[in-house]
Amino acid sequence: MSVLVLAEVDGKTLKPSTYQAITAATYWGLAIDVLVYGKDLDAALAEASTISGVRQVLHAQADHLQHPLVEDVSDLVMTIASDYNVILTAHSVFGKSLLPGIAARLDTASITDVIAIEAPSHYVRPSYAGNILAHIDNHEDVQIVSVRSTAFRAAERNGNAQIVEISVPPSRAVSRWISEQLSHSERPELNSARVVIAGGRSLGEQFDSLLNPLAEKLDAAIGATRACVDAGFAANELQVGQTGTIIAPELYIAVGISGAMQHIAGIKDSKVIVAINHDPDAPIFKYADYGLVADLFSALPELNAALQ
Ligand SMILES: Cc1cc2nc3c(=O)[nH]c(=O)nc-3n(C[C@H](O)[C@H](O)[C@H](O)COP(=O)(O)OP(=O)(O)OC[C@H]3O[C@@H](n4cnc5c(N)ncnc54)[C@H](O)[C@@H]3O)c2cc1C
């Protein structure tokens, strides 16, 4: 009886979401093994072996896993799946792509985007853009689960797990990795930032020039609405919301954002929400702890000056 957590490696180290997935895995009270796959994994393995609550770190190394592809990782997981009662991963882009195929091959269901595990195999997950919380009892023999990272705290590091090498099946070569384009930023990452300042389409071409100085002063990540991204004022990866990144910062500042439910779905776990909008009836004010009814083109420079 044990739980398998599928880790994700970011360059050399584990992604923070792996720590949060391990916290979720502790709810069963079973032994936890972590599968770390890729190439040149020394740093990630050393890290994983010190995470509290982990029994074993399964080390799957192969050239073709340098840039892991869903089919190859799915094949790898299938070689050990029968040893586990629960297979769990973060609800990341990769986790989302991976789990349905594994569930299908095990002829079972996957429960995705879980925000709470209230008892072993009893899950809470949002639906309808977070307006409904579904409680699910899953009676399958194997539980295939992805968890929303912001809903779980990160596991601590005072463990000493054994590292065990496992064999890796050959690549299926049905798809291949070509290249990766990453945008580099000095700003904190959107999904783990303590402060996020986000803008809507009303910022227009001044999106960067108005938000950057404030983000700098507040050490904040920058976010955007989908309307703003669609209009080309902000990069795609800045989108916050139901179909963008889901965040839970300590402080969220919404500038010129109407407060559509698809946007709120991504921010409602923020600890403090501040809204600046010139329309006193904008829906965002229903969710805001602090609201400023003002024109953003004067309010932002004033705020910037006040923070000098
Ligand atoms: C399936 C689906 C998924 C979606 N997913 C997402 C998602 O992940 N994230 C997301 O954000 N949206 C998402 N949307 C879009 C969402 O429904 C809204 O259209 C979008 O959030 C609106 O963005 P906005 O607030 O920038 O624009 P608008 O709705 O146009 O609002 C602009 C706001 O700016 C205010 N404003 C204008 N000028 C000023 C000024 N000078 N000073 C101060 N305030 C000003 C206005 O009063 C208004 O409230 C999704 C929609 C669908 C259908």
Side-chain angles (χ1 to χ4, degrees), residues 199-202 224-228 239-244 256-263 276-279 282-283 294-297:
R201 73 173 131 200
S202 45
T225 63
R226 174 161 159 181
C228 186
Q239 184 180 316
V240 171
Q242 182 192 348
T243 45
I257 289 179
S258 58
M261 72 169 185
Q262 295 89 354
H263 187 77
I276 303 173
N277 196 304
H278 68 181
D279 175 5
D295 186 313
L296 67 91
F297 294 103

Side-chain angles (χ1 to χ4, degrees), residues 34-45:
V34 178
L35 175 63
V36 180
Y37 50 87
K39 197 185 167 207
D40 302 328
L41 293 168
D42 290 355
L45 290 168

Side-chain angles (χ1 to χ4, degrees), residues 240-259:
V240 171
Q242 182 192 348
T243 45
T245 303
I246 290 177
I247 58 172
E250 286 172 30
L251 172 62
Y252 180 74
I253 306 174
V255 183
I257 289 179
S258 58

